[in-house]
Each structure stands twice: as C-alpha cells, then as structure tokens.
Amino acid sequence: MAWRQQAVCRRSACGRRDHERATVDQAMPNVTRNTRQRSEVLALLREVEGFHTAQQLHQMLLARNARVGLTTVYRTLQLLVDAGDIDSTRLPGGEQLYRRCGQSKHHHHLVCRDCGRTVEVAGPAVERWADQVAAQHGFTDVGHTLEIFGTCAQCSR
Amino acid sequence: MAWRQQAVCRRSACGRRDHERATVDQAMPNVTRNTRQRSEVLALLREVEGFHTAQQLHQMLLARNARVGLTTVYRTLQLLVDAGDIDSTRLPGGEQLYRRCGQSKHHHHLVCRDCGRTVEVAGPAVERWADQVAAQHGFTDVGHTLEIFGTCAQCSR
DNA sequence: TTAAGTGCAAACTCTTTGCATGCGT
DNA sequence: ACGCATGCAAAGAGTTTGCACTTAA
C-alpha cells in the first residue's frame, strides 16, 4: 500500500493580496488562465468563514447560480493549496477541508462535530514542540496536523 | 453534508492484559463471542509493530493463511477501537490506521511519509493545552488529533 | 437451539482521471 | 489558432451495509 506523498498543513505563505477588490476578474496566482469558474471559486472562498469541504463549496456555488463543475472545484482547490493560498486539513471522517487563509500566521482549528463551526486557535508552543520532536528523531521536511474536535456550546444544549 | 459523529483520538484505556499468552483462544474484551477470525486479528495485532490500515492487516492475515474476510477485519477493528483496546488515527491521505496500544498513556505519532515508520511521542502539555482551549470556547466532549509528518533519516538519504 | 458473527456482493462517499468540447490569451 | 481549462462520466480507493449462511455458547 502506497503511503501518499502529501504535504500536510503546510505553513502557509498565504500571500493575501488586496481582498477588498472582490471583483470577478481578480487574478489567480501561479496559474496561467483566469476563467469564470476560478473566479467564482475564489469569490466564494473570500466570503465564507472557516473550513468547508469541496462538496460543500460546490453546493454553495450551485446555490448562488454559479455554474461550476465539481471536478473544477476540486482542481481549483488543489491548485490553490499547491500555491499556498488556502489551507487544507482533513477531518477524522476522512473528508478534506479547504479554507482561505484568514491569518498570515500558522494556526490550528477547533471544530464543532455537529455544525462544523470553526474557531481558529494559535499554538506557537505546539509548533515548536512538534518541530523539535521531529528533529530529535531525525525527521526532516516536517509538517503536522492538529485539530481539536468537540461539541460547541450551541449544539450541546 | 453531515458532519460525522466520531470520537477522535480517544484517550485509550488500553487494558493490556498478558501479552505473553499469544494463544489463539484469548478472549476479546467487551464482546460476547470469541471466534477464530477475531482471534486471528488479535494475534496479528499482537505481533505487528506500529500502525497499519485495515487493508494491510487483511493482507497480512491472508499471507499467513488466516482466512478472514475484509469486512470482518473492519468490524473487529471498529469493535476494538470502541473498546479502547487499539488506537486509531487517520493519515492525511484519508486512510484509517489501527494499532495495538503499546503504552497505557495517551500519545501522538511521528510518521514517516515515505516508509510509514512510526515513532510514538508523548505530549502531555499539548493534551492540556487542547482541552483548555476547547473549554475556553465552550466546547464539550473534546478530542483531538495530532500527527507529525516528515521524512525519516533513512528515507531522506 | 438461537442469536451473534461471518463474508460475499453491492452500495456509498469522496476524489481523481480520460477525453471531447469550450474558451482565454 | 493554440492549448489550457472545463465538465461529464467513469474509474478508483476505502469503508459500510444487506442478507443469507455459519457457528459459539
């Protein structure tokens, strides 16, 4: 069984450019062409809060009458992850989550199991600890995932 | 899209009983019946080191002429996870990993992206930090995942 | 005896890919 | 016009489920 080569929780460069110019013809970084579909995805990512799956984002696009194929959503998100422009993480359920960088700093997430509400939490100490532990064991090219799950106040009542 | 209800990284009770008696008829905890198949899975888990996917474990069982269905492997592993007798975690690739508890303490994992080599690391400070952060935000029933990925010394040369 | 356990096949979910068509540049 | 981008459909991977058969207790 192949262990997939995959960068995990890359420390996002997140060159967040002028987020004010939320026009459709905003350029997509590191990509040759700017199409309507990509602009739609970018526009959506700029508006939504927290993490969403590719499927969720696709549904939202359809709901706002933005005709974009699911395949394109996946492909665009992958491009953005590769470019370091969005964060991606994975739910214990196995679903991949994507999110626009809201902060230039690296951070982790506190996610409600029921409603998906996400709180961003910074854990600089954890970062250092993780890198240090990995280095101690001779590991290089280190990344990590840290997600905290629970039931938020709203959902638990 | 439903957010799956799933306990994450449960603090394992891991009542590790006499691991010496690696006989086939060893009892499975919290389960009514002890079948040949379950004994085979348990015996295998006692012998292998580190994390393996359900599929990998199934292949190993077949290799040792233990006729066990993949379905049964999945079901047995799930039972063991529910019973707290094995750890499970999820690879960024989305594959579920299962492992016999090697320590009674809660711990996390440093995994090589290339060869899958796993080093167990304890992070008591991280535990406390995670629980505390979640509590501060009103979250209950808190669990977390923390995996560190990198390229191990062997694979990087 | 009888209910839990098994295993095959099929269903399911999420994701990726092949390929003909569409559309920036 | 050229070639990347799109999107449908189909393939894949991993996991779960329905259901008839088997078997431990």
Short mmCIF file of all heavy atoms in Angstrom, two decimals, chain D residues 4-22:
data_model
loop_
_atom_site.label_atom_id
_atom_site.label_comp_id
_atom_site.label_asym_id
_atom_site.label_seq_id
_atom_site.Cartn_x
_atom_site.Cartn_y
_atom_site.Cartn_z
P DC D 4 -0.94 23.67 -22.66
OP1 DC D 4 0.51 23.91 -22.61
OP2 DC D 4 -1.49 22.33 -22.97
"O5'" DC D 4 -1.59 24.18 -21.31
"C5'" DC D 4 -1.57 25.56 -21.00
"C4'" DC D 4 -2.95 26.01 -20.54
"O4'" DC D 4 -3.91 25.81 -21.61
"C3'" DC D 4 -3.49 25.26 -19.33
"O3'" DC D 4 -4.08 26.20 -18.46
"C2'" DC D 4 -4.53 24.31 -19.92
"C1'" DC D 4 -5.06 25.14 -21.09
N1 DC D 4 -5.65 24.36 -22.20
C2 DC D 4 -6.93 24.70 -22.65
O2 DC D 4 -7.54 25.62 -22.10
N3 DC D 4 -7.48 23.99 -23.67
C4 DC D 4 -6.79 23.00 -24.24
N4 DC D 4 -7.38 22.34 -25.26
C5 DC D 4 -5.48 22.65 -23.80
C6 DC D 4 -4.95 23.35 -22.79
P DA D 5 -4.69 25.78 -17.08
OP1 DA D 5 -4.56 26.90 -16.13
OP2 DA D 5 -4.18 24.44 -16.76
"O5'" DA D 5 -6.23 25.66 -17.46
"C5'" DA D 5 -6.91 26.82 -17.88
"C4'" DA D 5 -8.41 26.57 -17.87
"O4'" DA D 5 -8.78 25.81 -19.04
"C3'" DA D 5 -8.92 25.80 -16.67
"O3'" DA D 5 -10.17 26.39 -16.27
"C2'" DA D 5 -9.09 24.38 -17.20
"C1'" DA D 5 -9.47 24.63 -18.66
N9 DA D 5 -9.05 23.59 -19.60
C8 DA D 5 -7.81 23.01 -19.68
N7 DA D 5 -7.73 22.12 -20.65
C5 DA D 5 -8.98 22.13 -21.24
C6 DA D 5 -9.54 21.40 -22.31
N6 DA D 5 -8.86 20.51 -23.03
N1 DA D 5 -10.83 21.64 -22.64
C2 DA D 5 -11.51 22.54 -21.92
N3 DA D 5 -11.10 23.30 -20.89
C4 DA D 5 -9.81 23.03 -20.60
P DT D 6 -11.04 25.76 -15.12
OP1 DT D 6 -11.73 26.88 -14.46
OP2 DT D 6 -10.24 24.81 -14.36
"O5'" DT D 6 -12.13 24.97 -15.96
"C5'" DT D 6 -12.99 25.70 -16.82
"C4'" DT D 6 -14.01 24.77 -17.44
"O4'" DT D 6 -13.32 23.83 -18.30
"C3'" DT D 6 -14.81 23.93 -16.44
"O3'" DT D 6 -16.19 24.15 -16.67
"C2'" DT D 6 -14.40 22.49 -16.74
"C1'" DT D 6 -13.92 22.57 -18.18
N1 DT D 6 -12.86 21.60 -18.57
C2 DT D 6 -13.07 20.78 -19.65
O2 DT D 6 -14.09 20.80 -20.31
N3 DT D 6 -12.03 19.93 -19.95
C4 DT D 6 -10.82 19.83 -19.29
O4 DT D 6 -9.97 19.03 -19.65
C5 DT D 6 -10.67 20.72 -18.14
C7 DT D 6 -9.41 20.67 -17.36
C6 DT D 6 -11.68 21.54 -17.84
P DG D 7 -17.23 23.83 -15.50
OP1 DG D 7 -18.35 24.79 -15.57
OP2 DG D 7 -16.50 23.62 -14.24
"O5'" DG D 7 -17.76 22.42 -15.99
"C5'" DG D 7 -18.41 22.31 -17.24
"C4'" DG D 7 -18.68 20.86 -17.57
"O4'" DG D 7 -17.43 20.23 -17.94
"C3'" DG D 7 -19.20 20.05 -16.38
"O3'" DG D 7 -20.14 19.10 -16.86
"C2'" DG D 7 -17.97 19.33 -15.87
"C1'" DG D 7 -17.25 19.06 -17.17
N9 DG D 7 -15.83 18.81 -17.03
C8 DG D 7 -14.99 19.28 -16.05
N7 DG D 7 -13.75 18.88 -16.19
C5 DG D 7 -13.77 18.10 -17.33
C6 DG D 7 -12.73 17.40 -17.98
O6 DG D 7 -11.54 17.34 -17.66
N1 DG D 7 -13.17 16.74 -19.13
C2 DG D 7 -14.47 16.74 -19.58
N2 DG D 7 -14.72 16.05 -20.67
N3 DG D 7 -15.46 17.40 -18.97
C4 DG D 7 -15.04 18.05 -17.87
P DC D 8 -21.57 18.99 -16.16
OP1 DC D 8 -22.49 19.99 -16.74
OP2 DC D 8 -21.33 18.94 -14.70
"O5'" DC D 8 -22.04 17.53 -16.63
"C5'" DC D 8 -22.10 17.25 -18.01
"C4'" DC D 8 -21.34 15.98 -18.32
"O4'" DC D 8 -19.94 16.15 -18.06
"C3'" DC D 8 -21.75 14.77 -17.48
"O3'" DC D 8 -22.55 13.91 -18.28
"C2'" DC D 8 -20.42 14.10 -17.10
"C1'" DC D 8 -19.39 14.87 -17.89
N1 DC D 8 -18.08 15.03 -17.20
C2 DC D 8 -16.92 14.49 -17.76
O2 DC D 8 -17.01 13.87 -18.83
N3 DC D 8 -15.74 14.67 -17.13
C4 DC D 8 -15.70 15.34 -15.98
N4 DC D 8 -14.50 15.50 -15.41
C5 DC D 8 -16.87 15.89 -15.39
C6 DC D 8 -18.04 15.71 -16.02
P DA D 9 -23.35 12.71 -17.59
OP1 DA D 9 -24.56 12.50 -18.40
OP2 DA D 9 -23.44 12.98 -16.14
"O5'" DA D 9 -22.36 11.48 -17.81
"C5'" DA D 9 -21.57 11.40 -18.99
"C4'" DA D 9 -20.48 10.38 -18.79
"O4'" DA D 9 -19.34 10.96 -18.13
"C3'" DA D 9 -20.90 9.18 -17.94
"O3'" DA D 9 -20.37 8.00 -18.49
"C2'" DA D 9 -20.29 9.50 -16.58
"C1'" DA D 9 -18.99 10.19 -17.00
N9 DA D 9 -18.43 11.07 -15.99
C8 DA D 9 -19.09 11.83 -15.08
N7 DA D 9 -18.31 12.52 -14.28
C5 DA D 9 -17.03 12.17 -14.70
C6 DA D 9 -15.75 12.56 -14.27
N6 DA D 9 -15.55 13.42 -13.27
N1 DA D 9 -14.68 12.04 -14.90
C2 DA D 9 -14.90 11.19 -15.91
N3 DA D 9 -16.05 10.74 -16.41
C4 DA D 9 -17.09 11.28 -15.75
P DA D 10 -20.84 6.58 -17.92
OP1 DA D 10 -21.53 5.92 -19.03
OP2 DA D 10 -21.51 6.76 -16.61
"O5'" DA D 10 -19.44 5.85 -17.67
"C5'" DA D 10 -18.27 6.29 -18.38
"C4'" DA D 10 -17.05 5.98 -17.57
"O4'" DA D 10 -16.74 7.09 -16.69
"C3'" DA D 10 -17.19 4.76 -16.66
"O3'" DA D 10 -16.00 3.98 -16.74
"C2'" DA D 10 -17.39 5.35 -15.28
"C1'" DA D 10 -16.49 6.59 -15.38
N9 DA D 10 -16.78 7.65 -14.41
C8 DA D 10 -17.99 8.06 -13.95
N7 DA D 10 -17.92 9.02 -13.06
C5 DA D 10 -16.56 9.25 -12.93
C6 DA D 10 -15.83 10.16 -12.14
N6 DA D 10 -16.39 11.02 -11.29
N1 DA D 10 -14.49 10.14 -12.23
C2 DA D 10 -13.93 9.26 -13.08
N3 DA D 10 -14.51 8.36 -13.88
C4 DA D 10 -15.84 8.41 -13.76
P DA D 11 -15.90 2.57 -16.10
OP1 DA D 11 -15.69 1.60 -17.20
OP2 DA D 11 -17.00 2.38 -15.14
"O5'" DA D 11 -14.53 2.69 -15.29
"C5'" DA D 11 -13.47 3.42 -15.88
"C4'" DA D 11 -12.54 3.92 -14.81
"O4'" DA D 11 -13.17 4.98 -14.05
"C3'" DA D 11 -12.13 2.85 -13.79
"O3'" DA D 11 -10.74 2.95 -13.60
"C2'" DA D 11 -12.91 3.23 -12.54
"C1'" DA D 11 -12.97 4.75 -12.66
N9 DA D 11 -14.06 5.41 -11.93
C8 DA D 11 -15.40 5.13 -12.00
N7 DA D 11 -16.14 5.90 -11.25
C5 DA D 11 -15.23 6.75 -10.64
C6 DA D 11 -15.38 7.81 -9.72
N6 DA D 11 -16.56 8.20 -9.23
N1 DA D 11 -14.27 8.45 -9.31
C2 DA D 11 -13.08 8.06 -9.79
N3 DA D 11 -12.81 7.08 -10.67
C4 DA D 11 -13.94 6.46 -11.05
P DG D 12 -9.91 1.65 -13.16
OP1 DG D 12 -8.74 1.57 -14.02
OP2 DG D 12 -10.84 0.50 -13.01
"O5'" DG D 12 -9.43 2.10 -11.73
"C5'" DG D 12 -10.20 3.09 -11.09
"C4'" DG D 12 -9.47 3.61 -9.91
"O4'" DG D 12 -10.32 4.61 -9.33
"C3'" DG D 12 -9.26 2.53 -8.86
"O3'" DG D 12 -8.05 2.78 -8.16
"C2'" DG D 12 -10.49 2.67 -7.98
"C1'" DG D 12 -10.81 4.16 -8.07
N9 DG D 12 -12.24 4.46 -8.05
C8 DG D 12 -13.23 3.85 -8.78
N7 DG D 12 -14.43 4.32 -8.52
C5 DG D 12 -14.21 5.29 -7.56
C6 DG D 12 -15.11 6.13 -6.88
O6 DG D 12 -16.34 6.19 -7.00
N1 DG D 12 -14.47 6.97 -5.98
C2 DG D 12 -13.11 7.00 -5.76
N2 DG D 12 -12.67 7.86 -4.86
N3 DG D 12 -12.25 6.22 -6.39
C4 DG D 12 -12.86 5.39 -7.27
P DA D 13 -7.47 1.64 -7.21
OP1 DA D 13 -6.01 1.65 -7.40
OP2 DA D 13 -8.23 0.38 -7.36
"O5'" DA D 13 -7.79 2.25 -5.79
"C5'" DA D 13 -7.30 3.56 -5.48
"C4'" DA D 13 -7.82 3.97 -4.13
"O4'" DA D 13 -9.20 4.35 -4.26
"C3'" DA D 13 -7.75 2.84 -3.10
"O3'" DA D 13 -7.15 3.34 -1.92
"C2'" DA D 13 -9.20 2.45 -2.87
"C1'" DA D 13 -9.96 3.72 -3.25
N9 DA D 13 -11.27 3.47 -3.81
C8 DA D 13 -11.60 2.58 -4.78
N7 DA D 13 -12.86 2.58 -5.09
C5 DA D 13 -13.41 3.54 -4.26
C6 DA D 13 -14.73 4.02 -4.10
N6 DA D 13 -15.76 3.56 -4.79
N1 DA D 13 -14.93 4.98 -3.19
C2 DA D 13 -13.89 5.44 -2.48
N3 DA D 13 -12.61 5.07 -2.54
C4 DA D 13 -12.44 4.10 -3.47
P DG D 14 -6.82 2.27 -0.78
OP1 DG D 14 -5.58 2.74 -0.15
OP2 DG D 14 -6.94 0.90 -1.31
"O5'" DG D 14 -8.01 2.52 0.24
"C5'" DG D 14 -8.17 3.83 0.76
"C4'" DG D 14 -9.47 3.91 1.51
"O4'" DG D 14 -10.56 3.75 0.60
"C3'" DG D 14 -9.64 2.82 2.58
"O3'" DG D 14 -9.96 3.45 3.81
"C2'" DG D 14 -10.80 1.97 2.07
"C1'" DG D 14 -11.56 2.97 1.19
N9 DG D 14 -12.33 2.33 0.13
C8 DG D 14 -11.88 1.40 -0.77
N7 DG D 14 -12.80 1.01 -1.60
C5 DG D 14 -13.92 1.73 -1.22
C6 DG D 14 -15.23 1.72 -1.76
O6 DG D 14 -15.69 1.06 -2.70
N1 DG D 14 -16.07 2.60 -1.09
C2 DG D 14 -15.70 3.38 -0.03
N2 DG D 14 -16.64 4.17 0.50
N3 DG D 14 -14.47 3.40 0.48
C4 DG D 14 -13.64 2.55 -0.16
P DT D 15 -10.13 2.59 5.13
OP1 DT D 15 -9.70 3.46 6.24
OP2 DT D 15 -9.53 1.25 4.97
"O5'" DT D 15 -11.70 2.44 5.22
"C5'" DT D 15 -12.50 3.62 5.22
"C4'" DT D 15 -13.96 3.26 5.11
"O4'" DT D 15 -14.23 2.64 3.84
"C3'" DT D 15 -14.47 2.29 6.17
"O3'" DT D 15 -15.39 2.99 6.99
"C2'" DT D 15 -15.16 1.18 5.37
"C1'" DT D 15 -15.34 1.81 4.00
N1 DT D 15 -15.36 0.87 2.85
C2 DT D 15 -16.52 0.76 2.12
O2 DT D 15 -17.53 1.37 2.38
N3 DT D 15 -16.45 -0.12 1.08
C4 DT D 15 -15.36 -0.89 0.69
O4 DT D 15 -15.43 -1.64 -0.27
C5 DT D 15 -14.17 -0.71 1.50
C7 DT D 15 -12.93 -1.49 1.18
C6 DT D 15 -14.23 0.15 2.53
P DT D 16 -16.12 2.20 8.18
OP1 DT D 16 -16.36 3.20 9.24
OP2 DT D 16 -15.43 0.95 8.46
"O5'" DT D 16 -17.52 1.86 7.50
"C5'" DT D 16 -18.27 2.89 6.90
"C4'" DT D 16 -19.56 2.34 6.31
"O4'" DT D 16 -19.25 1.51 5.17
"C3'" DT D 16 -20.41 1.48 7.26
"O3'" DT D 16 -21.74 1.93 7.16
"C2'" DT D 16 -20.22 0.07 6.72
"C1'" DT D 16 -20.01 0.32 5.24
N1 DT D 16 -19.24 -0.70 4.51
C2 DT D 16 -19.78 -1.27 3.38
O2 DT D 16 -20.89 -0.98 2.96
N3 DT D 16 -18.98 -2.18 2.74
C4 DT D 16 -17.72 -2.58 3.11
O4 DT D 16 -17.11 -3.41 2.44
C5 DT D 16 -17.21 -1.96 4.31
C7 DT D 16 -15.85 -2.34 4.80
C6 DT D 16 -17.97 -1.06 4.94
P DT D 17 -22.85 1.35 8.15
OP1 DT D 17 -23.60 2.50 8.65
OP2 DT D 17 -22.20 0.42 9.07
"O5'" DT D 17 -23.80 0.49 7.19
"C5'" DT D 17 -23.91 0.85 5.82
"C4'" DT D 17 -24.82 -0.12 5.09
"O4'" DT D 17 -24.03 -1.06 4.33
"C3'" DT D 17 -25.74 -0.98 5.97
"O3'" DT D 17 -26.94 -1.21 5.25
"C2'" DT D 17 -24.93 -2.25 6.15
"C1'" DT D 17 -24.30 -2.38 4.76
N1 DT D 17 -23.04 -3.11 4.71
C2 DT D 17 -22.79 -3.90 3.60
O2 DT D 17 -23.57 -4.00 2.68
N3 DT D 17 -21.57 -4.53 3.60
C4 DT D 17 -20.61 -4.48 4.58
O4 DT D 17 -19.56 -5.10 4.47
C5 DT D 17 -20.94 -3.65 5.73
C7 DT D 17 -19.97 -3.55 6.85
C6 DT D 17 -22.12 -3.02 5.73
P DG D 18 -28.20 -1.79 6.00
OP1 DG D 18 -29.21 -0.71 6.01
OP2 DG D 18 -27.79 -2.42 7.27
"O5'" DG D 18 -28.69 -2.94 5.01
"C5'" DG D 18 -28.60 -2.76 3.60
"C4'" DG D 18 -28.99 -4.04 2.87
"O4'" DG D 18 -27.80 -4.84 2.66
"C3'" DG D 18 -29.96 -4.94 3.60
"O3'" DG D 18 -30.75 -5.63 2.63
"C2'" DG D 18 -29.06 -5.90 4.37
"C1'" DG D 18 -27.88 -6.05 3.42
N9 DG D 18 -26.59 -6.22 4.06
C8 DG D 18 -26.14 -5.59 5.20
N7 DG D 18 -24.91 -5.94 5.52
C5 DG D 18 -24.54 -6.83 4.54
C6 DG D 18 -23.33 -7.55 4.36
O6 DG D 18 -22.31 -7.50 5.04
N1 DG D 18 -23.36 -8.36 3.23
C2 DG D 18 -24.44 -8.48 2.38
N2 DG D 18 -24.29 -9.31 1.36
N3 DG D 18 -25.58 -7.82 2.54
C4 DG D 18 -25.56 -7.03 3.63
P DC D 19 -31.96 -6.55 3.06
OP1 DC D 19 -32.94 -6.48 1.96
OP2 DC D 19 -32.35 -6.24 4.46
"O5'" DC D 19 -31.30 -8.00 3.03
"C5'" DC D 19 -30.54 -8.40 1.89
"C4'" DC D 19 -29.99 -9.80 2.11
"O4'" DC D 19 -28.70 -9.73 2.75
"C3'" DC D 19 -30.85 -10.69 3.00
"O3'" DC D 19 -30.82 -12.01 2.49
"C2'" DC D 19 -30.14 -10.63 4.33
"C1'" DC D 19 -28.69 -10.59 3.87
N1 DC D 19 -27.72 -10.05 4.84
C2 DC D 19 -26.39 -10.47 4.76
O2 DC D 19 -26.06 -11.26 3.88
N3 DC D 19 -25.50 -9.98 5.65
C4 DC D 19 -25.89 -9.12 6.60
N4 DC D 19 -24.98 -8.66 7.45
C5 DC D 19 -27.24 -8.68 6.69
C6 DC D 19 -28.11 -9.17 5.80
P DA D 20 -32.13 -12.96 2.65
OP1 DA D 20 -32.96 -12.72 1.46
OP2 DA D 20 -32.69 -12.79 4.01
"O5'" DA D 20 -31.49 -14.41 2.54
"C5'" DA D 20 -30.66 -14.72 1.42
"C4'" DA D 20 -29.47 -15.53 1.88
"O4'" DA D 20 -28.65 -14.72 2.77
"C3'" DA D 20 -29.81 -16.81 2.66
"O3'" DA D 20 -29.01 -17.87 2.18
"C2'" DA D 20 -29.50 -16.44 4.10
"C1'" DA D 20 -28.32 -15.49 3.92
N9 DA D 20 -28.09 -14.57 5.02
C8 DA D 20 -29.03 -13.83 5.70
N7 DA D 20 -28.53 -13.09 6.67
C5 DA D 20 -27.17 -13.36 6.62
C6 DA D 20 -26.08 -12.89 7.38
N6 DA D 20 -26.20 -12.01 8.39
N1 DA D 20 -24.86 -13.36 7.08
C2 DA D 20 -24.74 -14.25 6.09
N3 DA D 20 -25.68 -14.77 5.29
C4 DA D 20 -26.89 -14.27 5.61
P DC D 21 -29.15 -19.34 2.76
OP1 DC D 21 -29.17 -20.26 1.61
OP2 DC D 21 -30.24 -19.36 3.78
"O5'" DC D 21 -27.76 -19.54 3.51
"C5'" DC D 21 -26.55 -19.30 2.78
"C4'" DC D 21 -25.35 -19.43 3.71
"O4'" DC D 21 -25.37 -18.35 4.66
"C3'" DC D 21 -25.34 -20.72 4.54
"O3'" DC D 21 -24.01 -21.25 4.54
"C2'" DC D 21 -25.78 -20.27 5.92
"C1'" DC D 21 -25.23 -18.85 5.97
N1 DC D 21 -25.97 -17.94 6.88
C2 DC D 21 -25.27 -17.23 7.85
O2 DC D 21 -24.03 -17.37 7.94
N3 DC D 21 -25.95 -16.41 8.70
C4 DC D 21 -27.26 -16.27 8.58
N4 DC D 21 -27.87 -15.45 9.43
C5 DC D 21 -28.00 -16.99 7.59
C6 DC D 21 -27.33 -17.80 6.78
P DT D 22 -23.72 -22.63 5.33
OP1 DT D 22 -22.74 -23.39 4.51
OP2 DT D 22 -25.00 -23.25 5.75
"O5'" DT D 22 -22.97 -22.11 6.62
"C5'" DT D 22 -21.86 -21.23 6.48
"C4'" DT D 22 -21.30 -20.87 7.83
"O4'" DT D 22 -22.22 -19.99 8.54
"C3'" DT D 22 -21.02 -22.04 8.76
"O3'" DT D 22 -19.71 -21.86 9.30
"C2'" DT D 22 -22.10 -21.92 9.83
"C1'" DT D 22 -22.33 -20.42 9.88
N1 DT D 22 -23.65 -19.94 10.36
C2 DT D 22 -23.70 -19.07 11.41
O2 DT D 22 -22.71 -18.67 11.99
N3 DT D 22 -24.97 -18.65 11.76
C4 DT D 22 -26.16 -19.03 11.17
O4 DT D 22 -27.21 -18.58 11.58
C5 DT D 22 -26.04 -19.96 10.09
C7 DT D 22 -27.27 -20.45 9.40
C6 DT D 22 -24.81 -20.38 9.74
#
